[in-house]
Amino acid sequence: MLDFVFAVDDSVTWHMMNLLKNKSHYSFLKFLGPKQISNIQNYGAGIYYNTLVPFHGRMIKYGVIGTKFLIEDLLHWKTLYVAGRLQKPVKILTQNENGKLQAALVSNLKSAVTAAFLMLPESFCEEDLYMQIAGLSYSGDFRMIIGEDGLKVQNIVKPNVPHFQKLYANILQDCPQVVYKHQLGRLEIDKSPEGQFTQLMALPRTLQQKITALVDPPGKNRDVEEILLQVAHDPDCGLVVRQGISGIVRSSSLVQSAKTILTAARKKSWCRPQEISYTCT
């Protein structure tokens, strides 16, 4: 199944036009009208999916997300739902000249690399890095326990290593904290407390908040910088980061799955497509 995502500036108008052209794509929610569909879209991960849509002899699914909501997720990992999809190789079919969106797309990739570094050892191969990155948006997702292929991340990465390399090559080459031995396919990173603190400070805001909530005792209310410095010295720093990511993904995947029961066929509400997403803006 091909997975399309449309980033739109005006969701109500978009759904109004799409209902006129493709009413059959929608579930019973089409009877509520474009404004209510847009309101439902804004719950959870901020995306509304139409699934099981026949298109040129095959099945597709397509999601609609507001551009502002998308930028927020890319920059701050508010839900890590669409941002997680865009950390993997995708084909951008068309894109308008939105400087904020373009900057947010790059920021999301840099954040993915930073988070992966914190969960990896001092030396590792490129494939290890891409496995960590591809697994970010599945960490904490209950669907990986119920009904999903346990080899999903591996199945995404192994056939697409050249695409991951193309997506992340410039970021890795420009990163001052990594030695990128491209010819050998290996990387070495700074795992000192100072190096990890720098990486923690560069993480998206929502993830920093999740880490703070995990480490800071209730009522103590220390500064985020102080807490992250403590985490940087913790031998289990990578585990704490992983738990923070899981907290983001768990809540967004639960809400999004509950919403999908309304927006799609019940039998598909627990599933994600295994193919690479195709994103339109």
Side-chain angles (χ1 to χ4, degrees), residues 28-142:
F28 71 93
L29 294 176
K30 58 178 170 276
F31 298 112
L32 299 180
K35 187 173 182 179
Q36 288 303 318
I37 289 174
S38 183
N39 288 337
I40 292 169
Q41 174 183 309
N42 291 331
Y43 283 104
I47 188 166
Y48 185 101
Y49 262 105
N50 284 326
T51 66
L52 298 175
V53 177
F55 185 76
H56 291 287
R58 67 180 303 169
M59 302 300 289
I60 69 167
K61 63 182 291 191
Y62 63 89
V64 183
I65 186 171
T67 305
K68 289 183 179 179
F69 199 107
L70 174 59
I71 291 173
E72 180 80 8
D73 197 32
L74 291 169
L75 291 176
H76 305 303
W77 289 8
K78 184 177 179 180
T79 71
L80 201 50
Y81 196 85
V82 178
R85 280 164 163 73
L86 294 175
Q87 291 162 358
K88 307 171 186 68
V90 300
K91 182 175 179 62
I92 298 181
L93 300 180
T94 182
Q95 185 175 356
N96 60 21
E97 296 182 5
N98 187 323
K100 288 184 179 180
L101 177 57
Q102 186 58 45
L105 286 166
V106 174
S107 176
N108 180 47
L109 297 179
K110 290 180 178 179
S111 294
V113 169
T114 301
F117 281 172
L118 286 161
M119 296 185 288
L120 285 163
E122 185 174 0
S123 178
F124 49 90
C125 69
E126 277 188 272
E127 190 171 303
D128 291 336
L129 172 63
Y130 303 140
M131 290 284 286
Q132 285 288 347
I133 290 173
L136 292 175
S137 61
Y138 297 109
S139 180
D141 190 337
F142 74 99

Side-chain angles (χ1 to χ4, degrees), residues 206-207 210-211 214 239-249:
T206 305
L207 180 52
K210 289 289 184 181
I211 292 171
L214 285 169
L239 178 60
V240 175
V241 173
R242 188 180 302 278
Q243 290 173 338
I245 294 170
S246 296
I248 297 172
V249 174

Side-chain angles (χ1 to χ4, degrees), residues 5-23:
V5 175
F6 297 91
V8 301
D9 294 335
D10 185 342
S11 296
V12 175
T13 300
W14 195 94
H15 285 296
M16 180 179 67
M17 299 300 294
N18 198 43
L19 282 165
L20 292 173
K21 294 181 179 180
N22 302 300
K23 194 171 184 178

